[in-house]
Amino acid sequence: MELQEKITILSGAARYDASCASSGCSNDTPRGGMGNTSQGGICHSWADDGRCISLLKILLSNDCRYDCAYCVNRSSNPVPRASFTAREVVDLTMEFYRRNYIEGLFLSSAVNVSPDHTMEAMVQVAEILRNEERFGGYIHLKVIPGSSPELVRRAGLAADRISVNIELPSSESLKRLAPQKSKEAILAPMKLIGAESGMSLVERRKSRKAPRFAPAGQSTQMIIGASPETDLQILRLSQGLYSRMNLKRVYYSAFVPVNEDNRLPVLAAPPLLREHRLYQADWLLRFYGFSAEEILSDDAPNLDESFDPKTAWALRNPGFFPVEVNRADYATLLRVPGIGVTSARRIIAARRFAPISPEGMKKIGVVMKRARYFITCSGRPFERVDQQPARLRQRLLLGDGSEPKLPRQLVLPGLG
Ligand code: SF4
């Protein structure tokens, strides 16, 4: 098969993977080498469907021996099949890099022959790039569940980021929709990566010459909407992954119906609004000190479509407000809709010199059209603070306090 034909098949087959962001990593370019992951070398760009396109994003093979219900590459689908050799992927990466088309490589694969057979070839790609081509650009490798620990270790030593897709939010759904994968085969490499990353950090504190293991950390991807789990179950899972496996990111990927299969739900469009809300809630878990149980409850286990999760929390907790911006601590300020990490820090810094005035709040970057219902400034409210929750909800929705537009379900081009 011609190389061009392989590229067409294997780059097209990779487009459903959302977990390719490259942030948070800097590499030392080897002497005489090329490429880097600093701001100038890696830039993020996004396709119109929201996926990152700054890396050469490609599958090593789409010739899969597994038959996951939701996947376009499953063995029972009559799609054209192709596989690269390791050398072909290396040459493509270097060629595209030299032409300034890409800043790095995101390499995933179907399970071709066996997990170890596939993983060995993927690791070879990264090792040849690093050791023979002296490539200092960003490399993200997907780990095939069921790969041997030694291959996972080699992957971590060659790549900037490695990730294992958790695929579905529960082991029951995994059994039903991806019966050849198991929870154990997915969690074992995740645990190993977490442990090796931790050890590498300790060793590098002792000596800068100690090898780096996946310096941009590990991430995972979860398909949303192909199985019946609630948002609360999904957020609890993410919370556990962040705290126990030391994950950098969980990516939520709205289920795109590409196969007819009676195990799958029939959807008019991918649940992209739900994906968006989960990313917002995930942000609250990672940076705003919220727990999954604060964002959702067993009585209301799904995210509000009309409001972002922080505004929804504020509406459910009127007793927490109003917050006095000239006295509240950082954690309390972060709970106010319209106040983000940057504006909370600026408030704390600015009020050391003088109390912040209502005009000062806007200058600091607070989104007043939302915050105004939840704060006082030196005791003065911006709005009546005794508004009934239903009325406040209505004002936020219909007035200028909600998000710029009422969120609508988004539709992927060509799939609407
Ligand atoms: S293992 Fe499953 S999800 Fe991965 S390529 Fe094969 S069929 Fe698709």
Side-chain angles (χ1 to χ4, degrees):
M1 185 185 284
E2 291 290 319
L3 186 62
Q4 185 57 49
E5 201 180 340
K6 285 189 187 180
I7 296 172
T8 306
I9 293 170
L10 292 169
S11 59
R15 71 178 184 276
Y16 296 103
D17 204 316
S19 54
C20 59
S22 62
S23 48
C25 174
S26 68
N27 276 353
D28 297 327
T29 306
R31 187 187 284 271
M34 67 166 62
N36 63 68
T37 59
S38 66
Q39 277 184 334
I42 289 278
C43 59
H44 297 162
S45 62
W46 301 88
D48 59 358
D49 64 355
R51 312 295 178 190
C52 179
I53 57 165
S54 60
L55 311 171
L56 171 59
K57 184 178 175 183
I58 207 152
L59 295 190
L60 184 80
S61 171
N62 73 339
D63 194 2
C64 198
R65 50 176 291 222
Y66 289 3
D67 202 46
C68 306
Y70 47 83
C71 179
V72 70
N73 298 315
R74 64 181 182 173
S75 57
S76 58
N77 271 5
V79 294
R81 304 286 174 177
S83 300
F84 285 123
T85 63
R87 189 73 238 181
E88 283 173 330
V89 178
V90 169
D91 290 345
L92 275 178
T93 307
M94 295 308 291
E95 274 305 304
F96 284 175
Y97 190 86
R98 284 191 186 102
R99 293 178 196 189
N100 210 19
Y101 293 166
I102 53 141
E103 290 83 19
L105 171 68
F106 173 85
L107 184 63
S108 185
S109 184
V111 184
N112 181 230
V113 183
S114 71
D116 271 359
H117 176 90
T118 311
M119 200 65 227
E120 173 68 43
M122 292 171 74
V123 170
Q124 272 179 22
V125 171
E127 288 179 341
I128 296 171
L129 278 169
R130 293 292 193 227
N131 303 333
E132 293 181 22
E133 303 291 342
R134 306 180 64 71
F135 180 70
Y138 182 85
I139 300 177
H140 180 163
L141 288 186
K142 272 284 158 79
V143 169
I144 307 293
S147 301
S148 69
E150 191 44 38
L151 284 169
V152 177
R153 280 194 194 94
R154 280 171 56 197
L157 290 172
D160 295 285
R161 171 167 287 187
I162 44 177
S163 54
V164 192
N165 280 358
I166 201 156
E167 304 283 14
L168 294 157
S170 74
S171 48
E172 294 74 39
S173 293
L174 198 62
K175 268 187 212 139
R176 199 162 51 84
L177 300 180
Q180 287 133 318
K181 292 180 179 169
S182 71
K183 182 178 155 194
E184 294 69 34
I186 292 169
L187 292 185
M190 286 176 113
K191 282 184 195 153
L192 178 69
I193 295 163
E196 292 283 338
S197 297
M199 276 193 292
S200 164
L201 287 176
V202 171
E203 290 302 315
R204 281 183 64 81
R205 265 183 226 125
K206 291 184 206 156
S207 163
R208 299 312 291 171
K209 289 189 180 150
R212 299 201 303 176
F213 187 92
Q218 69 162 321
S219 58
T220 192
Q221 178 178 322
M222 209 186 297
I223 300 167
I224 302 307
S227 52
E229 291 80 13
T230 63
D231 293 339
L232 178 57
Q233 285 172 284
I234 291 167
L235 288 181
R236 277 187 175 140
L237 176 59
S238 300
Q239 185 169 261
L241 291 172
Y242 286 130
S243 63
R244 287 197 294 276
M245 306 270 190
N246 207 11
L247 255 78
K248 269 277 199 304
R249 282 294 298 272
V250 176
Y251 289 89
Y252 306 94
S253 182
F255 167 56
V256 179
V258 288
N259 298 328
E260 278 189 24
D261 190 306
N262 58 17
R263 290 170 291 173
L264 295 171
V266 178
L267 300 180
L272 291 183
L273 175 56
R274 186 178 179 200
E275 179 192 277
H276 176 61
R277 291 282 179 247
L278 281 165
Y279 274 119
Q280 290 177 317
D282 185 276
W283 201 259
L284 296 186
L285 292 182
R286 288 187 296 138
F287 301 115
Y288 285 73
F290 281 80
S291 67
E293 291 72 21
E294 285 179 295
I295 298 168
L296 292 166
S297 67
D298 290 325
D299 294 335
N302 289 306
L303 293 163
D304 193 323
E305 288 195 355
S306 303
F307 294 102
D308 67 88
K310 192 159 83 161
T311 302
W313 178 85
L315 288 167
R316 284 198 313 276
N317 291 277
F320 191 85
F321 300 99
V323 165
E324 169 51 54
V325 291
N326 279 307
R327 277 202 311 274
D329 61 20
Y330 178 72
T332 305
L333 288 170
L334 279 184
R335 300 247 157 181
V336 177
I339 296 183
V341 170
T342 306
S343 45
R345 284 196 191 124
R346 285 183 186 155
I347 289 170
I348 303 265
R351 74 188 187 192
R352 284 201 195 108
F353 304 101
I356 300 170
S357 66
E359 297 71 40
M361 293 293 287
K362 278 188 201 148
K363 286 190 193 140
I364 276 171
V366 174
V367 183
M368 288 303 291
K369 63 185 178 183
R370 262 177 284 156
R372 62 189 303 113
Y373 300 97
F374 303 101
I375 56 173
T376 57
C377 201
S378 298
R380 293 211 313 267
F382 291 82
E383 295 280 338
R384 271 182 48 210
V385 291
D386 59 345
Q387 298 190 43
Q388 293 297 314
R391 178 166 162 68
L392 183 51
R393 194 178 161 88
Q394 195 181 26
R395 286 197 67 183
L396 280 161
L397 265 179
L398 301 177
D400 62 354
S402 62
E403 289 182 334
K405 285 186 187 138
L406 189 61
R408 289 182 301 112
Q409 182 62 59
L410 305 170
V411 179
L412 270 177
L415 289 170

